[in-house]
Structures are given as structure tokens and as C-alpha cells.
Amino acid sequence: MWTNFFKLRLFCCLLAVLMVVVLVINVTQVEYLDHETVSATFIDSSGQFISSQVTGISRNPYCGYDQQTLSSQERMEEDSLLAALHRQVPDVGPVPFVKSTDPSSSYFVILNSAAFFQVGSQLEVLVHVQDFQRKPKKYGGDYLQARIHSPKLQAGAVGRVVDYQNGFYKVFFTLLWPGKVKVSIFLVHPSEGIRVLQRLQEDKPDRVYFKSLFRSGRISETTECNVCLPGNLPLCNFTDLYTGEPWFCFKPKKLPCSSRITHFKGGYLKGLLTAAESAFFQSGVNIKMPINSSGPDWVTVIPRRIKETNNLELSQGLGTFPSGYYYQDQWRPRKFKMRQFNDPDNITECLQRKVVHLFGDSTIRQWFEYLTTFVPDLVEFNLGSPKNVGPFLAVDQKHNILLKYRCHGPPIRFTTVFSSELHYVANELNGIVGGKNTVVAIAVWSHFSTFPLEVYIRRLRNIRRAVVRLLDRSPKTVVVIRTANAQELGPEVSLFNSDWYNFQLDTILRRMFSGVGVYLVDAWEMTLAHYLPHKLHPDEVIVKNQLDMFLSFVCPLET
């Protein structure tokens, strides 16, 4: 008996030692993973997810963001996002203008040009880029946008672009409506221009600068402000105590930091490019220029059977691409049936007894403006706020509707914002009780385009934490995220608000809010797929479709 007991004790001791050894090995492997390598699943330039081993992630030292205290999970996520977006630009050394991408010399070919396609078929297009000497390029990195459209049907959808890094690109389209469907490919920026934009993003994040007015009695001073400031001059530290979001101003010479009155955009730095670099940013030459087809640029699509069409549109997974398409100027998401709110009474019925919070930049302020213009009973209450800045408030007392808009915290390029109104979205969300009659919509992207990506990731991380807490305490709260959108570009705008910058922000936003329990209004696809010219503030027909989608999340069709 004692012999058996001794053997049992010996076995237990050996088992305990083995478990300790295994634990030490696992901890060592995790620490090695955290510091050396990250298994990253990321999105390529086409929007596809690709798995890869990412080693030695390079972080931007701007403002000490490379020294942030992050959990291992947060660091893995950030490494994954940075790796996905930084790998896209080839480093080929200095390139003269004549050897850069020429959209007029480049061309595309429809590959699987069958006599007829069915709705739901895949269309493949090969793009071959050439330089201004009409010589084929041997590397990739150009930023292309692609769509299919039928002008008579007011139909359109975006395509997925795959860069083969050798001067060839493939574009994949899903044919989603019957009829004659035309292909359009645009060069937004050549790869040589993308390298310049990347350099500006990393080395010149202060190319948009901000200022604040300090006042006490008859004395007033204006100083420069930003996420961080160079030099050793005394600073006013306005870092948010709850989110830790950094913001600094140079300290006034005569006034205390507490005398700050307003925040406003100071301006844009000039002389950012050399003469050689400027050649890569020419309107009518290589900014958002069409690439022509070397053969037919259209196909004929025939209808599918009704049952197959219904399955095509409604049985899509979370990775659906494209997320939707236009038909007869109405956006049709592929994941669910979107309602049309064509009458003000429909909107009133949907929002009755609800409080709607709109947070973010001027692209979501458009929603406030549309609703208060279109719905007569929704009357704006004059808060005395600066025009186009806010905060704004509208009330429908009869139907118990409260609509609010507030801009996000700095950086924000508005003309003048009272410093007391500089509220961070995360803090505002923490103050909302939530519930089935609470609706939140957020759009934060445009004012971050000039900064290193780490700045935007940090902001979204704070907002996401607040959203998760809100949904945890009030699961029936409806939270909607409006994505970025394409806009008109010229030589100067490209350096500050290029679609390439905003595509990066849009990619990060989608990844970071995936699986959080929020709804997405895909403003990116809704602008790219439409026939109207791209604008920072899209035209009313696009805004109307965005709001139809937003309201469909708030008041879905009963099935």
C-alpha cells in the first residue's frame, strides 16, 4: 500500500515539474512573438485579406507613439495594420518623371470576354501600366480605382484591384445587374507619387498646423498647437485626462494656459515638394486620370433566375465585396434589404421617441443638415454655435425626437471652435446611458490624413473601448460607423487629403471595428461606385442613400 502511495506521489511531482517546464517554454515563445514577429492577417490594396509573417515592424517615432504602453494584443493588432499598409510601396530609388506611370500610355484588357455573362458572374480585367516613353513598367505600387457602371440604368459598383508588383494589375468585378456594363479604371496616383505621399506622412506630419487664441481682459495671444511640438519652448499641456490623447500649444508669453479661448486651423505648409516631385502631381496628367481599354470596355450581362438572384444578394458573408451597388440611383447593400425613406413621415416614424447622437467631422454633419432640411418637424434649436462647427441640436417635440451633432476633438481643421467645446468622442460615449431608443453615429477620419497611422489607430482604439462599454451596459443601443469617402483631388489637396491617405484610414477603421457589434455605412464604396464626381462632401443623392442605410439599421424591415 505504502509503495503504491509513494509511486503516486512521485508521479504527481513529475507531472507538476513537466507542467512548469511547458509553461516556461510557452511564456518564452509568447514574449518572443511580442518582440520579434507577428503573424499578421491584413488587407492588400484590393481589400483582400492575406496571411503573412511580419518581422521587425518599423514604428514612427513621431510624438513618442513608438513608446506607447500597449497590451500584447493591442501591439499585435497595430503591427498587423502597419504591416498591411506599409508594404505596398516599392522602394526603387529616384525615378525621373518620364519613367513614371503615364495613364494615357497604359491600358486595360477584359480577360474573360465571353459573349454573355450572367448576373453574379466574375469579370476579370488586366491592367498594364507604362511610362511616358511608352515602355512597360517593371514594378507596382500605383494607386488605382476601378468601377463598373451602366449610365442609362444609373447603376455602378466598385472592383477589387490586385497589384502583382511587376507593372501588371488585375481587377475583379462581380456583375450585379443585367444589361450593358462598362468598365472604368483610373490612375489616382503613380507609384512615384505614392512614395512622396508616404514620405510626407512620415516626415512632415505637421504640414497642417493649428493655433489657439488665449485671452485675459484686454491681453490676447495666439500660439501654435499640435499633437506634439518641436523645440524646447514652454508648452501648455492639454492632453486629455481620460483618453490620454495628447495635445499641446506653445505657452503664451504673458498669459496662463488656462486662458485658452478657441482652437482653429492655422494653415498648410508650403514648399513641401522638390521640382522633380511636383511633376508626379499634375492635374490632367497623372491625378485621377482614366486608363483606356485596348479593346472593348464593356460586356453584356443577362439576368439570372429569380431564386438564384435572391441567393446571390442575401446569402453573403461578412467578407462580402463589393458591399453593395447602385441601381436606378439607389444603393443596394448585398447583406440585407435596405429601406427607402423617401417621405419625411417615414423618417419621423423611424426616429420617434429616439435620441440620435452624431459625432465626428463635417461628413457626418451633412447627415444633420440633410435631416433638418428634409424633415419639417425636426426644428433646429439655435445654440449660438459657429456655422459649420457646432455643436448643433434639433428637436421634434410632437414626436419626441432629439437630434444632436458634435465635432470630434483635435486634430480638427475647422475655422474656429471654442476650446470648451473640444470634446473627445470616447468621453462623450462614456456619458451616454444608451438603450433601445438611443442611436449613435460616428465619422472620424478626414482630419487624420496628414498624421502617421499610429495617431489614428490610437484615436480609434479609445473610441472602440467606449463603444464596447456602451454596448456592454446597453446592448440595444444602435451604433453606426460611417466610413471615409473619396474626394476631388488636385496637386495641393493630394498632399494633405489624398484618397490614398484616406484609403489607409478606411482600411484601419474597418479592421478595428470588425466584430464589435456596430453597423457600417460604406461611404467609401458609395462614392466610388456613383457616377457623380468625387467630393469631400458628397452630393445630396449620395447623402440620401447613406441616410437610407443608416435609418435601415435603426428601423430594419420586419422579416
Side-chain angles (χ1 to χ4, degrees):
M1 174 180 176
W2 289 107
T3 304
N4 292 337
F5 179 71
F6 177 76
K7 289 180 179 180
L8 180 62
R9 287 185 62 186
L10 180 63
F11 174 76
C12 291
C13 289
L14 290 173
L15 183 62
V17 170
L18 180 62
M19 290 176 65
V20 170
V21 171
V22 172
L23 180 62
V24 170
I25 292 173
N26 286 341
V27 169
T28 303
Q29 289 178 337
V30 169
E31 288 177 348
Y32 178 78
L33 179 67
D34 282 348
H35 288 90
E36 299 296 333
T37 18
V38 175
S39 179
T41 302
F42 53 83
I43 304 174
D44 69 359
S45 59
S46 68
Q48 287 181 311
F49 284 85
I50 297 176
S51 180
S52 174
Q53 283 289 326
V54 181
T55 306
I57 299 299
S58 175
R59 294 177 178 276
N60 195 307
Y62 176 70
C63 298
Y65 271 78
D66 56 335
Q67 303 298 323
Q68 288 184 88
T69 302
L70 302 175
S71 68
S72 59
Q73 186 176 1
E74 289 171 340
R75 187 165 295 276
M76 285 181 65
E77 177 186 52
E78 188 167 296
D79 286 347
S80 170
L81 293 166
L82 295 176
L85 296 166
H86 282 182
R87 71 177 191 85
Q88 297 172 4
V89 184
D91 186 6
V92 293
V95 177
F97 171 71
V98 293
K99 292 187 176 296
S100 67
T101 306
D102 175 15
S104 64
S105 298
S106 305
Y107 61 90
F108 71 85
V109 179
I110 296 176
L111 292 180
N112 52 339
S113 54
F116 292 97
F117 292 85
Q118 281 191 333
V119 171
S121 299
Q122 292 291 308
L123 180 67
E124 295 182 18
V125 173
L126 182 69
V127 183
H128 190 194
V129 296
Q130 300 187 140
D131 63 25
F132 284 88
Q133 296 175 324
R134 295 190 174 276
K135 293 180 180 178
K137 294 192 69 178
K138 303 298 184 183
Y139 56 89
D142 302 292
Y143 179 39
L144 308 179
Q145 290 174 351
R147 74 183 184 107
I148 49 174
H149 53 109
S150 298
K152 291 184 179 179
L153 299 173
Q154 294 180 307
V158 300
R160 176 188 283 120
V161 180
V162 176
D163 183 353
Y164 288 97
Q165 298 294 324
N166 59 2
F168 287 91
Y169 301 79
K170 255 192 185 180
V171 187
F172 298 88
F173 298 99
T174 301
L175 300 169
L176 295 166
W177 63 88
K180 182 178 179 180
V181 177
K182 185 175 173 17
V183 175
S184 291
I185 312 288
F186 285 84
L187 174 75
V188 182
H189 295 299
S191 58
E192 297 76 18
I194 295 296
R195 289 177 61 203
V196 175
L197 295 179
Q198 189 177 52
R199 175 183 67 78
L200 292 176
Q201 186 179 49
E202 295 173 353
D203 300 340
K204 290 287 185 181
D206 58 348
R207 61 193 183 278
V208 176
Y209 57 95
F210 306 87
K211 291 189 175 183
S212 272
L213 173 66
F214 296 79
R215 180 184 296 149
S216 179
R218 295 183 178 181
I219 301 174
S220 62
E221 295 182 62
T222 300
T223 70
E224 188 174 333
C225 308
N226 218 315
V227 174
C228 66
L229 294 167
N232 298 315
L233 293 175
L235 299 176
C236 291
N237 186 352
F238 296 112
T239 298
D240 184 67
L241 296 176
Y242 298 98
T243 63
E245 293 285 355
W247 193 255
F248 299 89
C249 297
F250 285 122
K251 190 178 185 302
K253 295 179 180 179
K254 299 180 182 179
L255 296 174
C257 296
S258 58
S259 63
R260 184 172 65 147
I261 301 296
T262 60
H263 161 95
F264 57 95
K265 179 183 69 179
Y268 299 89
L269 291 181
K270 305 294 183 181
L272 294 169
L273 305 183
T274 65
E277 289 173 333
S278 297
F280 302 136
F281 299 92
Q282 300 182 62
S283 295
V285 177
N286 50 16
I287 297 178
K288 277 204 178 179
M289 291 298 294
I291 293 176
N292 294 320
S293 172
S294 67
D297 63 355
W298 58 273
V299 296
T300 300
V301 183
I302 59 175
R304 264 188 160 181
R305 291 192 296 271
I306 295 176
K307 185 176 181 180
E308 291 178 343
T309 303
N310 288 339
N311 291 337
L312 171 74
E313 294 200 4
L314 295 179
S315 301
Q316 302 295 327
L318 291 175
T320 302
F321 186 90
S323 67
Y325 63 99
Y326 283 105
Y327 190 79
Q328 295 177 343
D329 234 2
Q330 293 179 351
W331 184 251
R332 295 188 176 185
R334 297 175 66 198
K335 293 181 185 176
F336 72 103
K337 286 288 186 181
M338 190 175 88
R339 296 178 59 186
Q340 298 296 319
F341 293 81
N342 298 324
D343 190 283
D345 290 342
N346 301 146
I347 298 178
T348 299
E349 182 183 359
C350 174
L351 297 182
Q352 190 167 0
R353 294 184 298 277
K354 286 182 172 56
V355 179
V356 182
H357 302 267
L358 307 178
F359 297 116
D361 54 40
S362 55
T363 60
I364 205 164
R365 190 187 68 221
Q366 279 190 287
W367 291 13
F368 182 93
E369 294 164 349
Y370 179 92
L371 289 170
T372 52
T373 300
F374 186 67
V375 182
D377 292 336
L378 202 52
V379 180
E380 185 173 353
F381 186 83
N382 186 1
L383 298 174
S385 302
K387 186 180 179 182
N388 297 333
V389 174
F392 299 128
L393 180 71
V395 179
D396 179 350
Q397 290 184 324
K398 180 180 177 182
H399 301 96
N400 199 16
I401 301 171
L402 182 60
L403 176 67
K404 300 179 177 182
Y405 164 78
R406 179 177 288 280
C407 68
H408 63 72
I412 192 157
R413 302 176 203 153
F414 286 176
T415 50
T416 300
V417 185
F418 291 115
S419 57
S420 59
E421 298 293 356
L422 289 173
H423 297 193
Y424 289 90
V425 174
N427 293 339
E428 292 296 303
L429 293 173
N430 288 335
I432 295 174
V433 175
K436 65 179 183 179
N437 290 324
T438 301
V439 181
V440 174
I442 303 168
V444 177
W445 58 278
S446 180
H447 299 259
F448 289 81
S449 58
T450 56
F451 292 94
L453 298 175
E454 290 89 337
V455 177
Y456 188 59
I457 292 171
R458 177 175 188 155
R459 181 61 55 90
L460 290 191
R461 191 184 293 125
N462 279 320
I463 293 174
R464 183 176 62 184
R465 285 195 195 107
V467 167
V468 170
R469 285 193 291 263
L470 172 60
L471 293 176
D472 187 47
R473 65 179 176 267
S474 302
K476 292 186 178 180
T477 307
V478 175
V479 180
V480 179
I481 306 291
R482 182 205 186 276
T483 72
N485 61 261
Q487 68 170 89
E488 69 277 17
L489 296 178
E492 185 174 20
V493 174
S494 295
L495 307 183
F496 302 96
N497 233 36
S498 167
D499 283 357
W500 183 74
Y501 290 139
N502 293 328
F503 170 76
Q504 291 181 312
L505 302 182
D506 187 69
T507 301
I508 289 170
L509 181 143
R510 292 168 189 268
R511 285 286 308 280
M512 291 188 69
F513 279 93
S514 175
V516 174
V518 301
Y519 298 99
L520 204 71
V521 172
D522 198 338
W524 186 260
E525 286 195 21
M526 293 171 87
T527 49
L528 286 182
H530 204 270
Y531 56 83
L532 286 173
H534 300 163
K535 293 181 180 179
L536 174 60
H537 301 112
D539 286 332
E540 185 176 298
V541 62
I542 299 176
V543 176
K544 195 264 183 191
N545 276 288
Q546 291 174 4
L547 276 161
D548 283 347
M549 193 168 185
F550 164 68
L551 293 168
S552 295
F553 293 137
V554 179
C555 306
L557 282 169
E558 294 184 7
T559 57

